[in-house]
């Protein structure tokens, strides 16, 4: 990725992140503000509902108290027979605008019922306690009607006439008419669920217009509020049609749950505002991206172009053009960088020349040392043999033939050794380029191990081959790779003078191949592993140190990689990766 592209990405990402963060902050603040406003409106509606309940409760309590204080109620209380007053409650309820009214004797027997006349003579046992009913005021109560049950706001008045007592129970239903008296802000509405059945009943959910059609979607919220007995809030629906509902439990005189007040608030304004913020955010982000592109173009002209020239020059230096320089077009930081680059390349050229000279001298010295070391061993027996032959001819002519015959054998053997040493150095000096062709390394490994069967037997080395059946042919020079495997196998045999196990393994890695040659020999130290592929370095008593150097040279020509893993006393593993 170019510097210009990175600049564009940096500008673009910075603008997008900035716009995204601002949009998120604004959206969050807006949502929080809406939530606070909804909570305040909910609290206001709940307060208005309770205030309306209190107002009506006081009216009901005053009305019931007035009925209880009337002469008519006193007459009923002291009457020996209640039968003549069977329909009295209906007339009183109509006269005082009460939905519900019952006259109940002191023992709890219903004398007259406006809402259900047929209940004459039934018992209202909840009244028979020692409670001071007039002091309690109005409260919520579940009331039974001929066509079902209802939720009502009721008050109890007491008529005392000597040892006789009469209860006046009057009230009004909490229904659609009651909800219609509430003043609702725009976008809000109120529903009431009367918890009058053991199971959820859709017909008990009412709003200001009567029975509500939203029972199914509100059922989970109502059931959760009913089960917990506490206020909860939940959003129902999605998008602009979604609504936020706040559920408030309504409890009766005995702290029993009698209803759920549901306050709904439309989310349309919030959803539309958030959509508008997103649209504006996209527009701002698009404008920011355009600005980022223009700034990146400007930056490329002022910044990236000199840097690009520096990068191209650095690439030339890396490719071997050490004398490359760049034009200094300014005196700013980029200009100073160009000046430092030119100074660096000048110093590199000088250091390279000194390094080449030093390496050349070191290479000749090392070659001379290795040649002197390798040639010194066979030259000494050559000298001794020639001196013995001269001595025999001068002093013991009769033994000269026998000494000459033995001497020539020794001379030929040592000359062959010299020829072999020179051949190794010659092979390392002129490695031919590999002739690439598809090679089956499983077959190559099997063929190579067969060449050493006699040496394995003589050296007491057990051979294990673990060849991957999924291995694919890889382009390589079969002759050079055979030479590599031979060198590694010979090294492994030399590393196990007391015998051991040699493992030759191939592993498929897609189109590539890994070859491993492992032994259970003496192992190598970390320092020896680091120097193992250095030319002329050897861990053997007799050796030129060229075997592994040749192996590494061949693998390098094949664009592969060779590595070694070893620990003293635990053996050595050579790994070759090709393909």
């Amino acid at each position: 990725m170019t510097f210009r592209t990175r600049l564009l990405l940096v500008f673009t990402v910075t603008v997008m992140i900035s716009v995204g963060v601002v949009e998120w902050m604004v959206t969050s603040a807006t949502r929080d503000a809406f939530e606070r406003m909804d909570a305040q409106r909910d609290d206001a509606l709940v307060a208005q509902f309770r205030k309306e309940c209190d107002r009506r409760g006081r009216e009901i309590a005053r009305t019931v108290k007035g009925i209880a204080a009337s002469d008519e109620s006193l007459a009923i209380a002291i009457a020996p027979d209640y039968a003549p007053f069977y329909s009295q409650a209906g007339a009183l309820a109509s006269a005082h605008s009460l939905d519900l009214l019952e006259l109940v004797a002191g023992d709890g027997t219903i004398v007259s019922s406006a809402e259900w006349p047929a209940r004459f003579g039934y018992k209202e046992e909840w009244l028979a306690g020692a409670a001071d009913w007039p002091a309690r005021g109005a409260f919520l109560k579940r009331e039974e009607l001929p066509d079902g049950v209802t939720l009502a706001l009721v008050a109890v008045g007491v008529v005392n006439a000597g040892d006789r007592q009469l209860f006046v129970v009057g009230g009004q239903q909490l229904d659609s008419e009651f909800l219609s008296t509430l003043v609702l802000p725009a976008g809000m509405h109120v529903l009431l669920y009367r918890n009058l059945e053991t199971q959820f009943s859709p017909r008990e959910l009412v709003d200001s217009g009567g029975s509500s059609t939203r029972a199914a979607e509100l059922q989970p919220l109502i059931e959760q509020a009913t089960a917990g007995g506490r206020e909860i809030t939940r959003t129902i629906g999605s998008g602009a049609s979604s609504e936020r509902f706040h559920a408030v439990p309504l409890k009766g005189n005995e702290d029993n749950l009698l209803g759920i007040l549901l306050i709904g608030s439309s989310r349309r304004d919030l959803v539309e505002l958030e959509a508008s913020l997103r649209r504006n955010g996209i527009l701002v982000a698009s404008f920011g991206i355009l600005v980022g592109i223009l700034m990146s173009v400007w930056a490329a002209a002022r910044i990236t172009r000199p840097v690009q020239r520096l990068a191209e020059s650095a690439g030339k230096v890396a490719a071997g053009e050490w004398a490359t320089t760049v034009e200094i077009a300014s005196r700013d930081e980029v200009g100073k960088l160009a000046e430092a680059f030119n100074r660096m390349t000048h110093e590199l050229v000088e250091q390279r020349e000194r390094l080449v000279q030093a390496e050349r001298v070191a290479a000749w010295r090392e070659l001379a040392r290795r040649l002197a070391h390798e040639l010194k061993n066979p030259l000494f027996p050559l000298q001794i043999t020639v001196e013995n032959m001269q001595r025999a001819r001068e002093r013991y002519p009769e033994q000269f033939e026998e000494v000459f015959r033995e001497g020539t054998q020794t001379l030929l053997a040592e000359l062959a050794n010299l020829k072999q040493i020179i051949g190794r150095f010659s092979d390392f000096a002129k490695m031919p380029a590999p002739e690439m062709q598809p090679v089956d390394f499983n077959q190559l490994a099997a063929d190579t191990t067969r060449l050493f069967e006699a040496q394995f037997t003589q050296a007491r080395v057990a051979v294990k081959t673990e060849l991957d059946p999924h291995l694919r042919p890889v382009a390589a020079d079969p002759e050079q790779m055979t030479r590599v495997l031979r060198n590694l196998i010979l090294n492994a045999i030399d590393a196990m003078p007391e015998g051991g196990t040699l493992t030759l393994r191939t592993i498929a890695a897609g189109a590539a191949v890994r070859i491993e040659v492992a032994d259970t020999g003496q192992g190598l130290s970390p320092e020896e592993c680091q120097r193992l592929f250095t030319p002329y370095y050897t861990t053997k008593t007799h050796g030129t140190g060229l075997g592994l150097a040749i192996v590494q040279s061949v693998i390098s020509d094949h664009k592969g990689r060779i590595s070694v893993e070893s620990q003293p006393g635990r053996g050595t593993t050579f790994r070759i990766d090709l393909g």
Side-chain angles (χ1 to χ4, degrees):
M1 184 182 295
T2 63
F3 184 52
R4 181 182 303 180
T5 305
R6 285 198 293 270
L7 276 177
L8 174 60
L9 288 177
V10 168
F11 284 132
T12 303
V13 171
T14 301
V15 170
M16 292 182 68
I17 291 176
S18 301
V19 172
V21 170
V22 171
E23 181 182 354
W24 173 79
M25 293 174 63
V26 172
T27 303
S28 298
T30 303
R31 187 180 294 110
D32 291 342
F34 266 82
E35 296 293 347
R36 287 194 299 271
M37 183 177 67
D38 283 345
Q40 292 171 357
R41 296 199 297 180
D42 290 347
D43 293 341
L45 271 177
V46 172
Q48 184 184 165
F49 176 84
R50 296 190 188 282
K51 185 177 180 180
E52 181 65 17
C53 286
D54 290 342
R55 185 188 68 79
R56 291 204 178 195
R58 288 192 298 271
E59 290 180 356
I60 293 170
R62 282 196 300 269
T63 301
V64 169
K65 183 179 180 181
I67 294 173
S70 66
D71 293 339
E72 191 174 3
S73 298
L74 181 61
I76 296 172
I78 62 177
D81 182 13
Y82 294 133
F85 306 104
Y86 171 79
S87 61
Q88 191 66 33
L92 290 172
S94 178
H96 293 87
S97 301
L98 294 176
D99 297 331
L100 311 169
L101 183 64
E102 284 185 341
L103 303 177
V104 184
D107 61 353
T109 303
I110 297 176
V111 175
S112 178
S113 175
E115 62 270 19
W116 197 350
R119 294 191 69 202
F120 173 80
Y122 281 72
K123 292 284 188 178
E124 290 282 17
E125 297 180 355
W126 61 276
L127 287 169
D132 184 7
W133 292 112
R136 288 198 175 189
F139 55 88
L140 288 177
K141 186 177 181 301
R142 181 179 184 271
E143 287 289 342
E144 295 184 3
L145 300 176
D147 57 350
V149 291
T150 189
L151 182 62
L153 188 62
V154 301
V156 180
V158 181
V159 180
N160 293 304
D163 59 348
R164 303 291 295 274
Q165 196 175 42
L166 181 71
F167 295 104
V168 180
V169 183
Q172 292 181 344
Q173 296 187 56
L174 288 186
D175 53 12
S176 301
E177 183 275 331
F178 180 86
L179 296 179
S180 65
T181 62
L182 300 177
V183 180
L184 303 177
M188 298 189 72
H189 57 281
V190 177
L191 300 94
L192 177 64
Y193 177 73
R194 297 171 293 188
N195 187 37
L196 306 173
E197 304 289 343
T198 55
Q199 299 293 331
F200 178 81
S201 176
R203 64 189 178 88
E204 299 299 341
L205 182 65
V206 297
D207 56 21
S208 59
S211 296
S212 176
T213 59
R214 307 189 63 181
E217 58 181 325
L218 291 174
Q219 179 178 354
L221 174 62
I222 293 171
E223 289 178 342
Q224 185 178 354
T226 302
R230 56 185 177 83
E231 297 185 20
I232 58 173
T233 302
R234 178 182 292 179
T235 299
I236 295 177
S238 60
S241 61
S242 63
E243 288 186 274
R244 174 185 177 274
F245 278 92
H246 184 66
V248 182
L250 303 177
K251 297 185 179 181
N253 184 49
E254 299 176 354
D255 202 34
N256 55 328
L257 185 65
L258 295 178
I260 303 292
L261 182 68
L262 298 166
I263 302 172
S265 174
S266 174
R267 311 283 283 180
R268 179 179 296 276
D269 291 341
L270 175 60
V271 171
E272 290 178 351
L273 181 58
E274 288 180 342
S276 176
L277 289 174
R278 280 194 295 271
R279 287 193 299 270
N280 292 334
I282 292 173
L283 290 175
V284 173
S286 301
F287 177 75
I289 292 173
L290 178 60
V291 171
I293 294 174
L294 295 177
M295 290 184 67
S296 67
V297 172
W298 175 82
R302 297 295 302 271
I303 300 174
T304 62
R305 197 167 297 158
V307 173
Q308 187 175 4
R309 286 199 295 266
L310 275 172
E312 292 173 354
S313 299
K316 292 179 181 179
V317 172
E321 300 179 21
W322 295 52
T324 303
T325 58
V326 293
E327 179 184 355
I328 301 175
S330 63
R331 290 297 174 185
D332 55 9
E333 288 81 358
V334 177
K336 292 179 180 178
L337 180 61
E339 184 179 354
F341 179 86
N342 292 340
R343 187 165 57 251
M344 178 195 69
T345 55
H346 179 70
E347 293 176 357
L348 281 175
V349 171
E350 293 181 352
Q351 292 179 4
R352 180 174 177 272
E353 292 176 354
R354 290 195 295 268
L355 182 61
V356 168
Q357 293 177 2
E359 288 181 346
R360 186 181 296 116
V361 172
W364 279 110
R365 287 178 177 174
E366 180 63 20
L367 179 60
R369 188 187 69 79
R370 293 301 304 177
L371 280 173
H373 176 76
E374 294 296 332
L375 296 177
K376 183 178 180 181
N377 292 332
L379 285 176
F380 181 72
L382 284 174
Q383 180 182 355
I384 296 298
T385 302
V386 172
E387 289 176 352
N388 287 338
M389 292 172 64
Q390 289 177 340
R391 191 180 300 110
R393 183 170 182 176
E394 294 174 357
R395 299 181 183 181
Y396 311 102
E398 68 280 3
Q399 299 178 3
F400 176 73
E401 289 296 330
E402 181 179 355
V403 173
F404 179 78
R405 189 166 51 253
E406 293 176 356
T408 53
Q409 292 177 354
T410 301
L411 289 174
L412 290 173
E414 294 301 329
L415 287 172
N417 189 18
L418 281 172
K419 185 177 180 181
Q420 183 181 9
I421 292 171
I422 294 171
R424 289 176 182 173
F425 280 91
S426 177
D427 289 343
F428 182 68
K430 51 179 182 179
M431 288 293 296
E435 298 180 5
M436 310 298 277
Q437 63 185 67
V439 175
D440 183 351
F441 276 88
N442 283 346
Q443 187 64 43
L444 184 69
D447 293 343
T448 305
T449 53
R450 279 197 292 269
L451 297 175
F452 292 91
E453 288 180 352
Q455 287 176 266
F456 291 147
T457 302
Q458 183 179 0
R460 300 188 303 280
V461 173
V463 180
K464 290 171 57 179
T465 54
E466 299 176 3
L467 307 179
D468 192 334
H470 302 99
L471 200 68
R472 298 179 181 178
V474 176
D477 186 319
E479 183 178 346
Q480 291 189 11
M481 293 310 302
T482 300
R483 184 175 183 180
V484 166
L485 290 181
R486 286 178 178 176
N487 268 298
L488 296 179
I489 290 173
L490 286 173
N491 279 350
I493 295 174
D494 290 341
M496 298 182 287
E498 304 298 328
T501 302
L502 183 145
T503 303
L504 188 58
R505 183 182 298 112
T506 60
I507 303 170
V513 60
R514 168 173 285 184
I515 306 114
E516 293 185 354
V517 179
D519 62 62
T520 58
Q522 302 167 350
L524 301 168
S525 66
E527 293 78 12
E528 291 173 328
C529 290
Q530 290 180 357
R531 300 185 59 193
L532 203 56
F533 298 104
T534 303
Y536 314 120
Y537 175 78
T538 180
T539 60
K540 304 175 185 178
T541 305
H542 302 287
T544 62
L546 295 176
L548 290 177
I550 292 174
V551 167
Q552 188 182 50
S553 176
V554 171
I555 300 302
S556 177
D557 290 343
H558 282 72
K559 310 301 181 185
R561 180 176 177 272
I562 183 169
S563 60
V564 60
E565 181 181 324
S566 181
Q567 289 185 4
R570 295 190 178 183
T572 303
T573 300
F574 286 91
R575 292 188 181 90
I576 299 172
D577 293 298
L578 296 174

